[in-house]
């Protein structure tokens, strides 16, 4: 016999012989089958019950068949099933985070932590959030990549980071958060293709883990796969003329959405659209973005330019103020080892692994325009 404790959320007449009860156990939903001939107590929503019985499967779904149960506690306030379903999404995040740590450990990479309050050197295509720090103007970090380059240059060859980054946005939207979680992997003497393989491994492990969960009114995507297309081929196949912006156009996204069922790497962008530290052959960057079909890209990264003179040329071409990057340039001039790195939005990933969900569903306390938290 197996015993577990859960909170009753919903009672459903199963058939003449059985009653089904939807139970919440540690934010995971369970279906409990109770024989009518032992159903002497009228179970109601909010009751905490000790169930004794055995697990079974019915139509590929796990069910707990109770031989007996005892009411332990009756809540005064009714538990709202909508709130319980929302909490289930946070449970999904917790389970995915646990699996993420286990998978990263198997990749033999070391955890690191980049600073949160940083100077103006983080400014790029997306503006960071400005803060006052000891009376001076600073920013909340929007990328850890330059810090990872310095760490690797100091001898930390294979590293990862699970951290918080921030955008200068008034509020969180459904698909993008103003405060979000990044998962970064950086390695020395590895190509960007090697880091892409690392992320395919991580995402597949997380998906397999989530598929084992017993979810209520939610489902994990049936499969995950990874394809690859070059930026040049994407332009040609979608009928898109070369463009000035750094983000893919609607034509490009529609092509990805119509021709791929899961994740797709877009590689080899025009280097003029990439950060100054991106390695290239002069015109084509050794970089990538990971898209879920054409809906959203959830990860981006590149090989890192290790030649000082080339970085200076890239800065001048992009009109970057080199005075902001003196500590970085000082280290680069002494010599960087070859390295590659890639960063992924964790909430974005979950929103595409769980059907009909959004990034904001996996933020514990999302910042919104009209509802401040703390």
């Amino acid at each position: 016999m197996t015993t577990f404790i859960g909170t009753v959320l919903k009672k459903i007449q199963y058939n003449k012989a059985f009653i089904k009860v939807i139970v919440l156990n540690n934010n995971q939903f369970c279906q409990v089958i109770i024989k009518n001939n032992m159903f002497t107590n009228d179970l109601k929503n909010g009751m905490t019950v000790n169930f004794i019985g055995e697990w079974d499967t019915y139509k590929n779904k796990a069910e707990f068949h109770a031989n007996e149960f005892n009411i332990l506690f009756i809540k005064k306030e009714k538990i709202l099933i909508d709130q319980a379903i929302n909490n289930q999404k946070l449970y999904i995040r917790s389970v995915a985070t646990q699996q993420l740590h286990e998978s990263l450990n198997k990749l033999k990479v070391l955890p690191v932590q980049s600073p949160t309050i940083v100077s103006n050197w983080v400014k790029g295509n997306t503006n960071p959030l400005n803060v006052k720090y000891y009376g001076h103007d600073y920013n909340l970090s929007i990328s850890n990549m330059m810090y990872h380059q310095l760490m690797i240059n100091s001898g930390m060859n294979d590293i990862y980071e699970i951290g918080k980054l921030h955008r200068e946005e008034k509020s969180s939207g459904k698909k993008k958060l103003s405060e979000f979680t990044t998962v970064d992997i950086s390695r020395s003497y590895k190509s960007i293709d090697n880091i892409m393989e690392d992320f395919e491994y991580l995402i597949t492990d997380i998906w397999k883990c989530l598929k084992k969960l017993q979810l209520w009114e939610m489902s994990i995507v049936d499969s995950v796969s990874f394809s690859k297309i070059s930026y040049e081929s994407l332009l040609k196949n979608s009928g898109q003329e070369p463009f000035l912006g750094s983000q893919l156009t609607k034509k490009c996204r529609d092509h990805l959405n119509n021709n791929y069922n899961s994740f797709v790497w877009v590689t080899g962008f025009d280097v003029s659209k990439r950060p100054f530290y991106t390695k290239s052959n002069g015109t084509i960057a050794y970089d990538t973005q990971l898209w879920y079909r054409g809906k959203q890209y959830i990860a981006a990264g590149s090989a890192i330019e290790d030649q000082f003179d080339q970085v200076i040329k890239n800065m001048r071409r992009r009109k970057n103020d080199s005075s902001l990057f003196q500590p970085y340039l000082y280290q680069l001039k002494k010599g960087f080892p070859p390295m590659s790195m890639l960063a992924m939005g964790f909430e974005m990933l979950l929103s595409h692994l769980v059907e009909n969900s959004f990034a904001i569903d996996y933020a514990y306390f999302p910042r919104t325009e009209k509802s401040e938290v703390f």
Side-chain angles (χ1 to χ4, degrees):
M1 291 290 179
T2 302
T3 300
F4 84 93
I5 297 174
T7 302
V8 176
L9 289 182
K10 192 173 184 180
K11 184 178 68 177
I12 305 170
Q13 185 68 43
Y14 194 62
N15 57 35
K16 292 183 179 179
F18 299 94
I19 286 177
K20 178 167 71 174
V21 180
I22 306 303
V23 175
L24 186 67
N25 173 255
N26 192 26
N27 281 334
Q28 185 172 10
F29 285 79
C30 306
Q31 299 182 67
V32 179
I33 307 301
I34 302 172
K35 293 181 180 179
N36 272 358
N37 58 13
M38 61 167 283
F39 195 73
T40 56
N41 295 298
D42 187 16
L43 288 182
K44 296 180 180 179
N45 295 356
M47 290 182 172
T48 302
V49 179
N50 179 31
F51 295 97
I52 301 173
E54 299 291 347
W55 288 101
D56 199 357
T57 57
Y58 177 73
K59 293 184 178 180
N60 297 322
K61 289 188 177 181
E63 295 179 338
F64 189 85
H65 289 242
N67 292 320
E68 60 178 285
F69 62 88
N70 298 293
I71 297 173
L72 302 179
F73 182 71
I74 301 175
K75 286 186 177 292
K76 294 181 179 180
E77 296 183 6
K78 179 181 176 182
I79 295 178
L80 299 178
I81 194 164
D82 288 344
Q83 183 60 50
I85 291 174
N86 289 335
N87 290 346
Q88 181 182 221
K89 296 170 185 174
L90 298 180
Y91 176 70
I92 288 171
R93 178 189 173 122
S94 295
V95 171
T97 301
Q98 185 178 50
Q99 182 60 53
L100 177 62
H101 282 285
E102 292 177 6
S103 299
L104 284 165
N105 187 52
K106 291 177 183 176
L107 288 175
K108 299 186 183 305
V109 286
L110 291 174
V112 297
Q113 196 71 56
S114 301
T116 300
I117 300 175
V118 299
S119 70
N120 291 330
W121 73 350
V122 298
K123 288 192 174 181
N125 293 328
T126 305
N127 287 329
L129 190 65
N130 302 123
V131 294
K132 285 286 186 182
Y133 188 62
Y134 287 103
H136 298 283
D137 291 326
Y138 285 90
N139 302 280
L140 296 181
S141 182
I142 198 166
S143 173
N144 296 326
M145 286 193 172
M146 293 181 65
Y147 295 103
H148 281 209
Q149 293 171 45
L150 296 176
M151 291 180 198
I152 287 179
N153 191 50
S154 70
M156 304 186 74
N157 293 329
D158 299 285
I159 58 178
Y160 79 90
E161 181 165 0
I162 302 175
K164 287 288 187 179
L165 298 178
H166 304 80
R167 297 186 180 94
E168 186 186 37
E169 295 179 353
K170 290 183 178 180
S171 64
S172 295
K174 285 186 175 182
K175 296 182 179 181
K176 293 181 70 176
L177 302 174
S178 54
E179 177 185 342
F180 60 101
T181 308
T182 182
V183 180
D184 300 38
I185 297 179
S186 305
R187 293 183 184 267
S188 61
Y189 297 96
K190 296 291 184 180
S191 69
I192 189 61
D193 287 336
N194 297 137
I195 314 299
M196 289 159 61
E197 291 173 0
D198 288 341
F199 273 88
E200 289 182 10
Y201 168 75
L202 291 181
I203 293 170
T204 302
D205 263 11
I206 292 171
W207 171 76
K208 288 179 179 178
C209 176
L210 296 183
K211 286 294 285 184
K212 297 176 183 178
L213 297 181
Q214 298 300 313
L215 303 175
W216 177 249
E217 296 186 355
M218 295 181 67
S219 56
I220 309 300
V221 294
D222 290 334
S223 63
V224 295
S225 61
F226 298 89
S227 304
K228 186 190 296 185
I229 185 173
S230 70
Y231 175 68
E232 183 180 12
S233 296
L234 179 57
L235 292 184
K236 180 180 178 181
N237 295 346
S238 64
Q240 173 65 54
E241 295 294 328
F243 56 95
L244 296 176
S246 60
Q247 303 301 324
L248 294 183
T249 65
K250 186 177 184 303
K251 276 188 177 181
C252 293
R253 297 196 306 271
D254 286 346
H255 179 81
L256 295 178
N257 206 44
N258 294 332
N259 291 276
Y260 298 92
N261 295 320
S262 191
F263 295 98
V264 52
W265 297 100
V266 181
T267 63
F269 284 83
D270 180 344
V271 71
S272 66
K273 303 177 186 294
R274 304 297 99 182
F276 65 79
Y277 51 72
T278 305
K279 195 173 186 64
S280 72
N281 64 5
T283 56
I284 298 175
Y286 301 133
D287 74 337
T288 189
Q289 286 183 350
L290 179 60
W291 284 76
Y292 185 78
R293 305 180 66 184
K295 296 180 179 180
Q296 189 177 35
Y297 82 88
I298 66 169
S302 71
I304 302 304
E305 180 58 65
D306 54 11
Q307 298 301 309
F308 178 83
D309 291 342
Q310 186 60 53
V311 167
I312 295 298
K313 289 179 182 177
N314 293 344
M315 282 185 161
R316 289 171 180 167
R317 185 165 60 246
R318 292 165 178 75
K319 297 181 180 180
N320 295 116
D321 183 357
S322 61
S323 66
L324 297 175
F325 302 91
Q326 289 307 306
Y328 175 86
L329 293 173
Y330 174 77
Q331 295 293 329
L332 175 62
K333 195 169 187 177
K334 293 195 295 184
F336 270 9
M339 64 181 87
S340 298
M341 50 194 59
L342 198 149
M344 175 179 70
F346 190 53
E347 294 89 356
M348 286 184 181
L349 169 67
L350 295 177
S351 72
H352 296 301
L353 292 180
V354 183
E355 294 181 346
N356 301 316
S357 67
F358 300 94
I360 200 170
D361 295 329
Y362 306 99
Y364 290 104
F365 302 100
R367 272 59 175 168
T368 57
E369 188 172 1
K370 296 182 180 180
S371 177
E372 293 183 358
V373 177
F374 301 133

